[in-house]
Amino acid sequence: MNGAGIIKGLVETARNFAGSYHDRERLTTVQYPEETLPPVENARTLPFLVYDGGDAMAGLRCTACMICEKECPPQCIYIIKDQARKPDYMGKMQLQPKVFDIDMSVCMSCGICVEVCPFDAIKMDQVFELSTDDRFAGLLFDNEKLARPNEYFRQLHKTEASEVDARREEEKRKAAAKAAAKPPLPGGVK
Amino acid sequence: MSARFSPPELAGTDFEHPLLEVSLGPHHPSTHGVFRMDAALDGETVVKLKPVFGYLHRNHEKIAEKCSYLGSMPFTDRLDYMCSLTNNWGYALAVEKLTGLAVPERAEYIRVILGELTRLINHSAVVGFLLQDMGAMGTPLMYAFREREKILDLFESLTGARMMCNYMRFGGCRCDLPPGWIGQARGVAAKFPLFLDEFEALLTGNEILKARTEGVGVLTPELAVNAGVTGPMLRASGVNYDIRKVDAYGVYGRMDFRVPLGERGDVFDRYMIRILEMRESLKILDQALRDIPDGPILNLNAKLRNLRPKPGEAYGRIEGPKGELGFYLISDGGPNPYRYRVRPPSLINLTVLEDMCLGQTIADAVVILGSVDIVLGEVDR
Amino acid sequence: MSGADQIFVWIGHEAAGWAPAPAQPLVSAILAIAGIMAVFGACFALTTVAERKILGRMQNRFGPNRVGPYGLFQPLADGVKMLTKEDIVPFSADKTLHFLAPLVLTVPVWLAFAVLPFGRNMSALDLDCGVLFFFAIGSASELAVFMAGWSSQNKYSLVGAMRAIAQMISYEVPLVLSTVPVLMLAGSLSLNGIVAAQGSHTIGGLARWNVFTPWGLAGLLLFLIAATAESNRSPFDLPEGESEIIAGYLTEYSGFKYALFFLGEYLGLFAVTGLAVTLFLGGWHAPFQWLEWAPSWLWFGAKFSVLIFLFIWARATLPRLRLDQLLNFSWRFLAPLSLINLAVAAAWHWTGAWESAAAAPVRWLLCAALIALPAHWLGRALRGRLPPPRKYRYAE
């Protein structure tokens, strides 16, 4: 028949029209900001620095090794080392960053800084509501703005955080067992 | 500045017959990016058409010469921004050829799954945009994007990002599938044929669509082969060339699928070929999701940082959703490539735009451009 | 029958009664005009929102729903936006014509509402030649399109205006011809007379609307298709929504003049819809005799809304036709078919003696075949000799 294709098309649109009133499949809009989509564990938007314990600056895992700065494709990380050292979770003395700036307007959320970091110090956050009217400084995040506690990391990326924590606990336990198994040196010298 | 077209020979005629010069400018209601067509019209018919592009040039190839091999991977996402995972795969293939790294089997299956999902999202978006250009007020586009969203959710739960996935690595993939992902992917693949049936009910028999696309923008197989056209455009003209069958890269050699071929090479054929290819992709998806083995996802010798391939060159190519996407790398032993070249399928397919548009009306030129399936990120790099 | 049905007539009478006796006809005319402008102005606002929401629902999304409950105050927001935009007139444009074009579009269309009967005793002007008046006035508004295109001094606008004129003139022929059977069988050009001729009832209390006859059904379909093209709506919106000539003859208009153009187009749509309801769908009559208790203007409104929904539905589904396909469709399919429809109406009239229950289906089928077969052959001729259906082979 001549107009059959057009009629089939009209039936299709009518079906979607009627379906939009009772079928969630036919009306998939999520009315942001009143409704939000459930967070996805693996999602990544922008990086943040992880710290252990209560004090952000003292507990920062970052040791200013400069690997993330070197590997970042758009070169948005800027680090200046601080010569004062602090102990890490194993008791070893490490450097720390005096200045750790990330320009979020340049960051392209690739996650390479996270992949290459040997200290699990930088991880991907999931925030995206970061609009600001300060064009240059508004999106330039420094140490303090970037630092987030380990509990935050665990809340965002449960699997990854528990794996990182388990590994660090294992290493601490092994180091403690090794230290306990060593015979004490003569003269009470450790 | 656009070049001036010279008027045709008047040869002693009594009156002037100048051509109307129209610039379908970079700001286009129905464009696929910032793209310009300078057309000379005789009444309504196109006499000459020159595509002008370069408005989205971002120095991708030069940046790659300064970035490390790994650092270029996120930039390849942004080439054909609708299909980031296949771009990643092409680049990873090229570097793996350069360095001689083998890819574990699980990673190959994951790559095939993601590649075919990418083909699905690309083709549904292309058909939606083609209909949008034809004035269908966005209804097929909205249906296509509704299905696309499900696949993008899959990408987000695996790679972390919906579109700029940055997932393939040299020697495998970046991270393993989260638990339940295969089940979710199977669910999406099971519902997709229903969507395709609805889509075809809306579109394929539609008389207006047929009247607008049949016989429009015919591309002969000889011209297609001579111009280096690849992808669905080539197969719609009847030439049997699918790199998945020719090179059998990855585990495509084990997959059972057919390659649809068109008859006349007009816009309707290209539309139909994309629908048929989507159905074949679903078949490949089912097989890959069923057969995926356990195992490592990254070659143990793979290096993330400081990759310095031995001096040499390699060309890695894949059957991207738009055509043959190739990456040509020359290494001089340093951490950055000496030369990095992308073979953009959209650009090469665009070179025959004028031949297809000659003799058609200007309204058809827009539809033909829609059927070529260009993404300016790839054309301009 | 009275009461709710005649409430507007009653209000008009009472209000005109307050005026001094010699001014009463003038006051009652002004009241009728004000009423029509208020109702159809509100209808325009509501239709813009309804169109966006219905289009949205068909596309699996909400329409506008932020401004007011269910987005109903969206036209206010749109109105504020249109009024506060800068009114740009091109430097080389013909200023008088550029200014007059929206007015020439809108004023005749308002005039066309004067003859439509919205309910029992509810037409503003009861002309003996209502249909003729309607079509004459409707054609006058087509001049505005060309004025807009010419005065803009812009080659895209001119091309768009010429295409629009070609389209509108071509579709006038089936538009008018499809109404001629109605006039023939009702025996009058007066719209009230045509509605009255559809007032009797047949078996089962079914009203004798023209659409329940084969020529009426075909006539309604032809009329609606031609009306879609006359109002530049999808799938015939090549002059206005085209991607390559930007906005066609509307390119150089901004702000309130643009809003006036849209008002004129939608009002034109309402006018032809009102005419379709009057000519084919029985005007303000109820479909069944036992439903006549509901007010007549409600029935008019209900049928009107159904037709508007049909227009929006077609817009959501169908892609655009190219200009030559559009013109071919009109001249080679719609116009001959409307002529054949005349013959079918005549056949229907001559077989009027077959009203008895046994022969009525035969009559219906015979007349339906008389129109369906030529439609099929004309459709085949329009498509031309088709290539064989395509087979997509798979590579081996």
Side-chain angles (χ1 to χ4, degrees):
Chain A
M1 194 184 89
N2 266 339
I6 295 185
I7 295 188
K8 265 207 285 187
L10 286 172
V11 165
E12 200 48 52
T13 3
R15 186 172 343 146
N16 272 288
F17 178 70
S20 76
Y21 285 101
H22 60 266
D23 190 356
R24 186 71 200 168
E25 173 73 14
R26 301 261 171 224
L27 187 65
T28 50
T29 315
V30 170
Q31 301 262 58
Y32 184 82
E34 289 93 18
E35 308 167 6
T36 49
L37 286 169
V40 177
E41 185 175 336
N42 272 345
R44 54 180 154 92
T45 53
L46 297 169
F48 70 93
L49 290 171
V50 187
Y51 67 84
D52 296 307
D55 187 346
M57 292 299 112
L60 268 188
R61 292 183 188 171
C62 175
T63 63
C65 65
M66 317 290 259
I67 290 181
C68 57
E69 184 185 33
K70 182 156 171 284
E71 295 293 325
C72 175
Q75 302 278 294
C76 65
I77 303 183
Y78 179 66
I79 306 177
I80 297 184
K81 292 196 219 211
D82 189 353
Q83 292 305 320
R85 290 175 180 254
K86 64 170 177 15
D88 68 358
Y89 69 104
M90 293 278 282
K92 194 163 152 203
M93 296 303 270
Q94 302 276 13
L95 288 169
Q96 53 180 332
K98 186 156 70 172
V99 170
F100 192 114
D101 286 345
I102 299 186
D103 189 350
M104 293 305 186
S105 57
V106 176
C107 172
M108 58 175 181
S109 314
C110 62
I112 286 184
C113 52
V114 173
E115 272 181 77
V116 296
C117 176
F119 296 98
D120 297 306
I122 186 168
K123 295 292 175 191
M124 290 310 271
D125 202 350
Q126 291 180 353
V127 288
F128 51 89
E129 290 149 330
L130 289 174
S131 314
T132 167
D133 52 4
D134 185 352
R135 193 177 187 186
F136 299 107
L139 284 177
L140 185 68
F141 286 22
D142 57 5
N143 310 28
E144 277 155 31
K145 235 170 151 188
L146 284 172
R148 295 270 184 283
N150 193 23
E151 288 71 41
Y152 181 75
F153 175 41
R154 202 175 303 136
Q155 187 194 336
L156 277 186
H157 303 277
K158 231 172 15 174
T159 329
E160 199 183 342
S162 36
E163 188 249 338
V164 168
D165 286 342
R167 188 167 18 99
R168 286 160 83 95
E169 283 304 315
E170 182 64 26
E171 285 178 9
K172 271 205 268 204
R173 197 186 53 80
K174 276 207 214 139
K178 210 161 129 192
K182 257 196 329 196
L185 289 171
V189 178
K190 279 230 188 60
Chain B
M1 299 299 288
S2 66
R4 303 290 301 171
F5 297 119
S6 49
E9 296 308 294
L10 295 177
T13 54
D14 282 336
F15 50 88
E16 294 267 335
H17 193 55
L19 298 174
L20 178 68
E21 288 167 29
V22 165
S23 163
L24 292 148
H27 260 283
H28 218 272
S30 73
T31 194
H32 298 266
V34 272
F35 177 70
R36 186 166 129 217
M37 290 196 277
D38 276 340
L41 303 177
D42 177 13
E44 283 266 336
T45 358
V46 172
V47 167
K48 195 165 172 184
L49 185 127
K50 191 169 80 125
V52 179
F53 42 82
Y55 293 95
L56 196 53
H57 182 66
R58 294 165 294 175
N59 293 310
H60 173 68
E61 297 180 357
K62 186 67 185 174
I63 289 177
E65 289 179 16
K66 302 292 178 215
C67 265
S68 62
Y69 284 88
L70 179 64
S72 265
M73 186 60 93
F75 288 113
T76 58
D77 281 335
R78 287 145 171 91
L79 270 180
D80 172 2
Y81 36 79
M82 308 275 277
C83 321
S84 67
L85 283 165
T86 45
N87 299 347
N88 286 350
W89 192 357
Y91 181 52
L93 254 187
V95 175
E96 281 154 16
K97 273 198 192 166
L98 196 57
T99 57
L101 277 172
V103 180
E105 203 174 324
R106 184 174 168 88
E108 290 281 20
Y109 271 89
I110 295 180
R111 284 181 174 186
V112 166
I113 293 172
L114 293 175
E116 293 309 312
L117 283 172
T118 310
R119 196 176 312 271
L120 287 176
I121 59 174
N122 181 61
H123 284 341
S124 49
V126 164
V127 173
F129 279 118
L130 180 66
L131 266 292
Q132 169 74 4
D133 288 347
M134 276 198 252
M137 288 297 155
T139 309
L141 185 64
M142 289 290 133
Y143 296 164
F145 268 67
R146 185 191 71 210
E147 292 309 308
R148 233 181 95 99
E149 284 297 312
K150 300 182 184 150
I151 299 181
L152 292 180
D153 285 340
L154 277 180
F155 287 169
E156 189 179 14
S157 59
L158 172 61
T159 69
R162 284 149 48 95
M163 281 175 83
M164 305 294 143
C165 299
N166 184 22
Y167 179 69
M168 313 285 179
R169 292 285 176 264
F170 315 125
C173 304
R174 190 179 88 212
C175 56
D176 207 344
L177 305 175
W181 196 89
I182 299 264
Q184 269 185 311
R186 281 212 187 104
V188 169
K191 288 228 187 99
F192 210 86
L194 300 170
F195 155 68
L196 275 183
D197 292 333
E198 274 181 20
F199 214 45
E200 285 209 77
L202 178 63
L203 298 177
T204 306
N206 194 326
E207 283 83 7
I208 300 183
L209 177 76
K210 286 214 259 206
R212 290 269 338 238
T213 57
E214 284 183 353
V216 168
V218 176
L219 180 64
T220 56
E222 296 79 31
L223 180 60
V225 169
N226 284 338
V229 169
T230 52
M233 253 181 89
L234 181 67
R235 293 194 280 278
S237 299
V239 179
N240 175 16
Y241 189 73
D242 186 334
I243 298 175
R244 294 176 290 176
K245 292 280 194 194
V246 169
D247 277 359
Y249 58 95
V251 288
Y252 276 116
R254 303 183 204 172
M255 301 289 166
D256 172 31
F257 66 100
R258 301 177 296 178
V259 172
L261 295 177
E263 256 184 87
R264 309 241 331 264
D266 56 11
V267 173
F268 187 77
D269 267 351
R270 286 179 220 136
Y271 152 78
M272 227 18 234
I273 289 292
R274 291 193 167 100
I275 303 267
L276 292 172
E277 277 193 6
M278 279 201 266
R279 294 198 192 269
E280 296 299 319
S281 287
L282 286 168
K283 273 204 232 162
I284 301 179
L285 257 183
D286 285 333
Q287 290 166 50
L289 285 168
R290 188 191 62 210
D291 294 335
I292 180 168
D294 289 323
I297 52 149
L298 193 62
N299 190 326
L300 297 168
N301 299 332
K303 278 175 75 167
L304 270 185
R305 302 184 54 220
N306 230 358
L307 181 68
R308 288 170 191 259
K310 295 201 178 40
E313 57 184 25
Y315 179 65
R317 63 179 190 166
I318 55 158
E319 177 72 23
K322 297 189 161 56
E324 173 185 334
L325 175 64
F327 288 82
Y328 176 60
L329 288 166
I330 303 183
S331 160
D332 58 356
N336 315 333
Y338 174 75
R339 173 77 174 109
Y340 166 94
R341 155 91 182 140
V342 178
R343 181 208 184 272
S346 308
L347 175 61
I348 311 239
N349 292 353
L350 256 191
T351 52
V352 290
L353 186 67
E354 184 174 4
D355 302 277
M356 287 195 289
C357 286
L358 284 180
Q360 317 274 356
T361 64
I362 189 72
D364 291 331
V366 174
V367 172
I368 295 173
L369 181 66
S371 75
V372 172
D373 185 11
I374 61 169
V375 164
L376 265 296
E378 199 172 55
V379 170
D380 292 340
R381 282 153 290 138
Chain C
M1 278 300 187
S2 59
D5 190 38
Q6 297 295 294
I7 183 142
F8 296 106
V9 183
W10 182 82
I11 292 177
H13 263 294
E14 291 296 306
W18 286 95
Q24 271 185 3
L26 183 63
V27 170
S28 106
I30 291 178
L31 282 174
I33 295 173
I36 291 179
M37 288 182 90
V39 167
F40 281 95
C43 199
F44 164 68
L46 205 61
T47 306
T48 48
V49 183
E51 171 155 31
R52 289 168 68 175
K53 287 197 80 68
I54 294 175
L55 226 54
R57 290 264 166 184
M58 290 183 175
Q59 295 173 357
N60 297 152
R61 55 183 176 93
F62 294 99
N65 63 354
R66 293 278 161 183
V67 191
Y70 296 107
L72 285 173
F73 294 162
Q74 184 72 32
L76 293 176
D78 286 340
V80 169
K81 176 192 81 164
M82 283 295 185
L83 286 174
T84 53
K85 277 198 178 186
E86 181 185 352
D87 191 19
I88 304 174
V89 178
F91 184 69
S92 56
D94 187 337
K95 303 257 182 314
T96 331
L97 284 183
H98 191 88
F99 180 78
L100 283 180
L103 293 178
V104 171
L105 179 65
T106 331
V107 169
V109 170
W110 280 121
L111 280 178
F113 282 105
V115 287
L116 290 177
F118 304 113
R120 198 169 276 110
N121 306 328
M122 273 169 74
S123 64
L125 199 61
D126 188 10
L127 288 179
D128 278 340
C129 58
V131 176
L132 181 64
F133 175 79
F134 187 96
F135 283 124
I137 288 289
S139 308
S141 62
E142 290 170 19
L143 183 63
V145 169
F146 201 64
M147 278 169 73
W150 180 264
S151 67
S152 301
Q153 295 289 330
N154 176 350
K155 86 183 128 172
Y156 303 129
S157 301
L158 195 58
V159 167
M162 291 201 286
R163 288 175 170 181
I165 289 281
Q167 178 183 318
M168 291 171 118
I169 293 181
S170 313
Y171 279 88
E172 281 287 334
V173 173
L175 189 76
V176 176
L177 278 183
S178 59
T179 62
V180 173
V182 177
L183 308 175
M184 274 172 25
L185 288 185
S188 145
L189 279 171
S190 148
L191 284 168
N192 280 328
I194 294 174
V195 173
Q198 297 178 69
S200 47
H201 301 274
T202 169
I203 40 170
L206 187 67
R208 281 179 190 282
W209 289 358
N210 285 334
V211 75
F212 294 138
T213 63
W215 55 266
L217 187 59
L220 179 65
L221 287 173
L222 291 170
F223 189 85
L224 287 180
I225 297 175
T228 320
E230 283 289 311
S231 321
N232 289 339
R233 279 185 73 85
S234 212
F236 303 108
D237 62 348
L238 192 80
E240 124 191 327
E242 181 53 67
S243 41
E244 12 110 13
I245 47 171
I246 303 116
Y249 58 93
L250 293 177
T251 316
E252 300 290 347
Y253 282 89
S254 58
F256 193 59
K257 292 189 195 145
Y258 194 70
L260 268 184
F261 264 109
F262 270 106
L263 179 72
E265 279 192 20
Y266 272 91
L267 286 179
L269 184 71
F270 295 158
V272 283
T273 312
L275 192 70
V277 170
T278 310
L279 291 178
F280 294 99
L281 288 175
W284 38 259
H285 283 294
F288 291 99
Q289 188 160 24
W290 41 271
L291 284 173
E292 286 280 352
W293 51 267
S296 56
W297 41 270
L298 260 189
W299 282 116
F300 185 88
K303 295 174 211 174
F304 186 85
S305 313
V306 168
L307 284 184
I308 296 282
F309 180 79
L310 277 179
F311 282 124
I312 298 177
W313 189 9
R315 181 178 185 205
T317 317
L318 300 170
R320 218 175 267 140
L321 278 174
R322 215 172 53 210
L323 188 73
D324 56 316
Q325 293 164 347
L326 216 147
L327 298 176
N328 269 339
F329 184 60
S330 160
W331 289 108
R332 292 171 58 184
F333 185 81
L334 291 181
L337 209 57
S338 2
L339 286 173
I340 295 175
N341 206 19
L342 288 178
V344 174
W348 180 265
H349 183 70
W350 282 331
T351 55
W354 298 7
E355 268 299 323
S356 61
V362 177
R363 181 192 188 206
W364 221 99
L365 283 172
L366 181 65
C367 293
L370 272 180
I371 185 95
L373 286 172
H376 178 71
W377 292 326
L378 280 172
R380 285 262 285 277
L382 185 69
R383 281 192 338 230
R385 206 167 347 111
L386 273 185
R390 295 170 185 231
K391 287 192 179 14
Y392 291 94
R393 62 192 173 93
Y394 290 93
E396 281 322 314

